[in-house]
């Protein structure tokens, strides 16, 4: 559907001062080329100045009448198809700008002709004409806007010429072409071709084919191949009469020739377009080198139309026209469209347009091949030209201006955040509209140049009258004898106009003003027109000239303003796309306060609020914004949510933006909501507001409503009750400060619940507790240690678990080594942790034995010491990772001894552990052995412990009763384990018989019993 608005995209117009009647014209950079009609063979060149003012630059003669012409911005050359003596010629005009300097020197050369250095000085000051001979007459041409390559359409083939820059010497570079590739296409006569970034579009009378040349990575042994077959489809069968056909078949064929056979309409997109049965063969014609690229063809789109039919016949002029490829580039961080930039161009999006007499089609053929828009014309079209902002179409009496969706599609190719809550853009599928239908007498041809439209008109009243009558013929081909119209060259009167399009800002303002007429009448029309205005400005910003445009700041302001207008629409109107209010307001740069002023009426208690506005407020308030609403604005927001979405009230009140809200008013609304929809979050929010009011009685009443475990889980529903983010930092709330003083256990439990539900990260929790306890960044408050210990109880992720174990170990070690007491009483004792957490083990008896002989000072830090020992007595902590952390305690008396022996035991170093115990606390050696030396480790009893005890007892004698006692216990154990002979071999030869004899008798009696 095409909507019609009566806007004014066209401004002033001027007449181009041509000396001869124009036959063809085209634009390039800052000039206009006009090829004269058949009577005089030449091209006039005009410089296009501000406001469409044209100044003649000069002219040059052509070989004959110009049939087709095109200008390439890359290389700044003009290419023509000219006719002379019923033969057509392909010529390129290089360095034509010297004509404006008064030089009349012309150099004509063949393509690929070697340039002599002796001509260098003259080449600078003369125009060069490059002749490009072809085996078949050229029918159509197109220049690639990216690199200046030339594509020529001939019968059954396309010829590609690569633009070359030949360096003659340091001061001279000459342009030339090299015929590099031929695409052989069976049974195809191209009417128009378009060429851009290796994309090729071809039209016949009723067929459209779009291809892409892709580079093939070939192995070294295949680089000499010059042709590559890309299609295995069978060629069409010869329609002639075969030998085995009978006379009746031949007669039937002749009768069929009396009629036109129309094939079914077809549309094939992407991979399906291979089924179009148009085989293509590539023939490489450039000299093979190491850098030679080999191509293959990828089919992108094929579409076949049928003539406009009726019960009486079909329209004889149902033909495709105005084929065009429109590129959109991305250069660095900015997107550019349609114009050349100094930097290397990177294709972002590509669009293809073609048209039938009564309908036009716009396709995206870049990353995805799809139909974007269909344009229905009010009358038969003559020609159309596509620009990044508009589609201009000429009919027999009108110049029509349509909107396009190129900027909407390109925006999505460029920015992945489009169509999210961050950014938005009007949809590609948005209905196009006609902005203007401007009356002209006899429009014949059109082209576009920056903000100018070049329009050729020929006024002939008789021809206009005849053109209004529908011209039809019967299906029989004998009707071809009908006399054709009078040649257009005989038509009197012509004009070549330059029509200035109004500035983007001016047209944008008109569209916005126009949209206000629909504000209270047609919601969709208002949104549609504002969307058109937004896309108009977006397209202007994507233009390369935007970076240097004097309207740059004004365009950016208009873009933000259009976003704000669209945000207003989606907020005020009840539409299915109400959620778009959020991204559009974000792109507008408006603060929440400014949005409230735009949408909320002062003193209107009965005002209703639509879903879009509530959606915007909900998301904005739930995000960590730095904006604080005033008391009046915050109270108004409170009222809005109470009326529109009361369930959100507790969450809204916890937003940092609502810090200035009146707590009395908030409690009043919360109590009303609580009677209907009570919840834990609502109760906690009321307690929070009570704290702000200083009403501790109310606070205690609310906190006593639920058990502490339920309250802890309630914070999961709204974490901002405890912590809020400001400028990327996690900050504790007044609620959290109060809980730290009065209910630290609840605070820790709530934070653990937040972590386990992924509402707060471990590092954020660290910062939260440090700020809450006003500790420096390096100091660890006891409340944070309490949090780590509580998290160890529930944590199931191994990576986080090991991190927590190392953190609590490090803190225990630091306090013990620095003799630093915690600033607050720990929430859990060692016994509590052992009973509730698997990562804290029962302390071994031999550890208790060692510590019983410790110094009195150890008792001051007994809780940290016992927690550390309990950790090491479990199997959870990775000892290898913990050794660097434990290093400060290895020499710290009995504490260090227990740590050292526990680590050696976990590492399997039992003999070293025995050695340490015998050296520093022999009384605990046997206890250690009894606890640790079991199963596979029992041999340490007689291999290490018994020999060491014998040796140390011999040295000390009766002075160390502890050693003697340990020796006796060890002998008892060994006597039960070994054979008599083995046991006897372990006893010292100089030992006292009376001491060892009882153990020998015990060993021998055990043997007799067994």
């Amino acid at each position: 559907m095409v909507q019609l608005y009566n806007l004014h995209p066209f401004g002033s117009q001027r007449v181009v001062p041509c000396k001869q009647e124009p036959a063809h014209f085209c634009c390039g950079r800052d000039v206009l080329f006009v090829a004269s009609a058949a009577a005089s063979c030449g091209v006039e060149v005009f410089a296009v100045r501000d406001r469409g003012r044209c100044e003649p630059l000069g002219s040059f003669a052509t070989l004959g009448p110009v049939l087709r012409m095109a200008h390439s911005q890359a290389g700044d050359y003009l290419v023509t198809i000219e006719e002379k003596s019923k033969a057509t010629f392909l010529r390129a005009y290089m360095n034509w700008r010297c004509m404006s300097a008064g030089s009349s020197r012309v150099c004509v050369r063949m393509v690929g002709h070697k340039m002599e250095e002796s001509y260098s000085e003259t080449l600078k000051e003369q125009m060069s004409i490059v002749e490009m001979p072809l085996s078949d007459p050229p029918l159509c041409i197109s220049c690639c806007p990216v690199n200046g390559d030339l594509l020529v359409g001939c019968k059954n083939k396309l010829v590609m010429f690569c633009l070359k820059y030949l360096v003659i010497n340091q001061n001279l570079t000459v342009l030339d072409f090299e015929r590099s590739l031929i695409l052989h296409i069976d049974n195809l006569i191209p009417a128009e071709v378009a060429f851009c970034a290796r994309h090729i579009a071809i039209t016949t009378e009723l067929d459209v084919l779009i291809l892409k040349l892709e580079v093939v990575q070939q192995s070294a042994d295949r680089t000499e191949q010059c042709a590559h077959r890309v299609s295995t489809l069978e060629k069409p069968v010869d329609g002639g009469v075969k030998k085995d056909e009978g006379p009746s078949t031949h007669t039937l064929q002749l009768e069929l020739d009396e009629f036109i056979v129309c094939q079914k309409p077809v549309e094939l997109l992407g991979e399906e377009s291979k089924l179009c049965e148009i085989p293509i063969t590539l023939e490489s014609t450039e000299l093979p080198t190491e850098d030679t690229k080999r191509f293959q063809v990828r089919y992108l789109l094929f579409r076949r139309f049928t003539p406009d039919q009726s019960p009486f016949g079909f329209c004889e002029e149902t033909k495709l026209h105005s084929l065009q490829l429109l590129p959109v580039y991305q250069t660095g961080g900015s997107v550019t469209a349609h114009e050349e930039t100094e930097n290397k161009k990177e294709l972002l999006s590509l669009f293809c347009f073609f048209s039938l007499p009564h309908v036009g089609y716009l396709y995206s053929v870049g990353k995805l091949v799809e139909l974007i828009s269909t344009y229905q014309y009010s009358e038969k079209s003559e020609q159309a030209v596509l620009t990044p902002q508009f589609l201009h179409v000429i009919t027999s009496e009108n110049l029509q201006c349509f909107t396009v969706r190129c900027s909407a599609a390109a925006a999505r190719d460029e920015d992945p955040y489009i169509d999210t809550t961050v950014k938005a853009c009007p949809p590609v599928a948005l209905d196009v509209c006609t902005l203007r239908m401007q009356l002209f007498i006899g429009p014949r041809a059109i082209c576009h140049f920056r903000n100018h439209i070049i329009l050729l008109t020929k006024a002939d009243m008789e021809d206009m009258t005849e053109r209004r009558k529908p011209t039809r013929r019967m299906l029989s081909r004998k009707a071809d004898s009908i006399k054709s119209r009078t040649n257009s060259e005989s038509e009197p009167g012509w004009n070549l106009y330059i029509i200035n399009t109004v500035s983007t800002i001016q047209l944008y303002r008109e569209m916005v003003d126009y949209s206000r007429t629909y504000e209270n009448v047609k919601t969709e029309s208002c949104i549609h027109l504002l969307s058109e205005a937004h896309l108009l400005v977006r397209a202007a910003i994507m233009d390369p000239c935007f970076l240097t445009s004097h309207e740059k700041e004004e365009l950016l302001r208009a873009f933000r303003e259009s976003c704000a207008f669209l945000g207003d629409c989606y907020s005020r109107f009840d539409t299915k796309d109400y959620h778009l209010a959020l991204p559009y307001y974000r792109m507008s740069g408006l603060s929440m306060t400014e949005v409230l002023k735009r949408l909320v009426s002062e003193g209107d208690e009965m005002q209703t609020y639509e879903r879009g506005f509530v959606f915007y407020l909900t998301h904005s308030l739930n995000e960590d914004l730095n904006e604080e609403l005033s008391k009046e604005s915050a109270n108004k927001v409170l009222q809005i949510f109470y009326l529109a979405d009361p369930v959100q009230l507790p969450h809204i009140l916890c937003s940092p933006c609502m810090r200035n809200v009146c707590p009395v008013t908030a409690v009043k609304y919360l109590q009303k909501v609580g009677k209907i929809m009570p919840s834990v979050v609502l109760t906690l929010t009321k307690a929070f507001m009570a704290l702000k009011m200083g009403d501790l009685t109310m606070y205690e009443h609310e906190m006593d409503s639920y058990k502490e475990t339920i309250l802890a889980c309630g914070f999961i529903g709204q974490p901002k009750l405890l912590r809020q983010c400001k400028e990327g930092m996690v900050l504790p709330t007044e609620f959290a400060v109060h809980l730290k003083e009065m209910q630290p256990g609840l605070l820790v439990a709530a934070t653990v619940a937040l972590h386990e539900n992924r509402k707060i990260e471990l590092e954020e929790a660290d910062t939260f507790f440090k700020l809450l306890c006003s500790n420096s960044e390096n100091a660890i408050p006891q409340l944070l240690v309490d949090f780590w210990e509580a998290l160890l109880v529930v944590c199931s992720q191994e990576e986080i678990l090991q991190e927590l174990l190392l953190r609590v170990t490090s803190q225990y070690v630091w306090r013990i080594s620095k003799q630093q007491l915690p600033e607050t009483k720990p929430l859990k004792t060692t016994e509590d942790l052992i009973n509730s957490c698997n990562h804290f083990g029962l302390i071994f008896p031999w550890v208790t034995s060692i510590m019983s002989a410790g110094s009195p000072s150890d008792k001051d830090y007994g809780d940290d010491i016992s927690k550390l020992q309990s950790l090491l007595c479990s199997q959870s902590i990775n000892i290898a990772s913990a050794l660097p952390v434990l290093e400060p305690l290895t020499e710290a008396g009995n504490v260090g001894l227990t740590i050292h022996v526990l680590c050696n035991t976990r590492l399997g170093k039992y003999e070293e552990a025995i050695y340490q115990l015998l050296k520093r606390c022999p009384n605990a050696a046997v206890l250690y052995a009894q606890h640790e030396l079991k199963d596979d480790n029992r041999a340490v009893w007689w291999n290490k412990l018994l020999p060491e005890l014998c040796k140390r007892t011999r040295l000390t004698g009766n002075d160390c009763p502890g050693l003697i006692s340990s020796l006796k216990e060890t002998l008892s154990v060994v006597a039960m384990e070994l054979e008599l002979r083995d046991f006897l071999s372990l006893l010292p030869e100089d030992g006292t018989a009376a001491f060892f004899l009882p153990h020998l008798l015990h060993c021998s009696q055990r043997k007799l019993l067994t």
Side-chain angles (χ1 to χ4, degrees), residues 84-153:
K84 184 176 183 181
S85 302
K86 298 184 179 181
T88 53
F89 299 87
L90 181 66
R91 310 179 98 199
Y93 295 83
M94 312 284 194
N95 201 26
W96 52 266
R97 290 184 182 270
C98 66
M99 304 292 293
S100 61
S103 174
S104 60
R105 298 171 61 93
V106 177
C107 167
V108 182
R109 55 187 169 91
M110 296 292 290
V111 65
H113 177 69
K114 185 177 181 181
M115 308 299 294
E116 299 293 339
E117 193 169 348
S118 57
Y119 291 103
S120 60
E121 294 303 320
T122 57
L123 286 172
K124 287 182 181 179
E125 302 172 1
Q126 65 183 12
M127 181 174 70
S128 295
I129 302 175
V130 180
E131 301 263 4
M132 289 174 273
L134 297 168
S135 58
D136 295 294
L139 302 176
C140 45
I141 51 177
S142 178
C143 302
C144 175
V146 178
N147 51 31
D149 292 349
L150 174 65
L151 185 69
V152 184

Side-chain angles (χ1 to χ4, degrees), residues 176-309:
D176 198 9
F177 292 95
E178 179 183 6
R179 181 162 44 190
S180 60
L181 190 66
I182 299 176
L183 290 83
H184 296 277
I185 309 176
D186 295 343
N187 300 318
L188 184 136
I189 301 176
E192 290 182 292
V193 293
F195 189 34
C196 178
R198 296 181 186 161
H199 291 75
I200 297 172
I202 315 156
T203 59
T204 61
E205 287 190 357
L206 292 171
D207 291 352
V208 182
L209 179 63
I210 303 178
L211 314 165
K212 183 181 180 182
L213 296 174
E214 295 182 330
V215 178
V216 178
Q217 300 295 333
Q218 292 185 331
S219 57
D221 58 345
R222 296 186 63 193
T223 54
E224 70 276 2
Q225 295 182 358
C226 295
H228 181 63
R229 185 75 177 180
V230 298
S231 178
T232 58
L233 299 174
E234 295 181 2
K235 295 184 179 181
V237 179
D238 188 359
V241 180
K242 297 183 179 179
K243 292 180 181 180
D244 56 353
E245 288 179 339
S248 60
T249 308
H250 191 190
T251 305
L252 179 62
Q253 182 67 38
L254 291 174
E255 290 178 358
L256 288 174
D257 287 344
E258 298 293 318
F259 299 93
I260 291 178
V261 179
C262 298
Q263 294 179 298
K264 293 190 300 182
V266 176
E267 182 185 38
L268 300 173
L269 302 177
E271 293 297 320
E272 291 185 355
S273 57
K274 291 180 180 178
L275 306 176
C276 65
E277 298 184 357
I278 300 179
I280 300 174
T281 304
L282 299 186
E283 178 187 352
S284 178
T285 56
E286 63 181 335
L287 293 175
T289 64
E290 293 181 359
D291 299 328
T292 299
K293 295 177 180 177
R294 303 299 173 191
F295 295 101
Q296 67 180 9
V297 168
R298 181 159 69 94
Y299 292 81
L300 299 180
L301 181 144
F302 174 76
R303 184 151 187 181
R304 174 175 290 149
F305 298 92
T306 56
D308 292 339
Q309 299 181 29

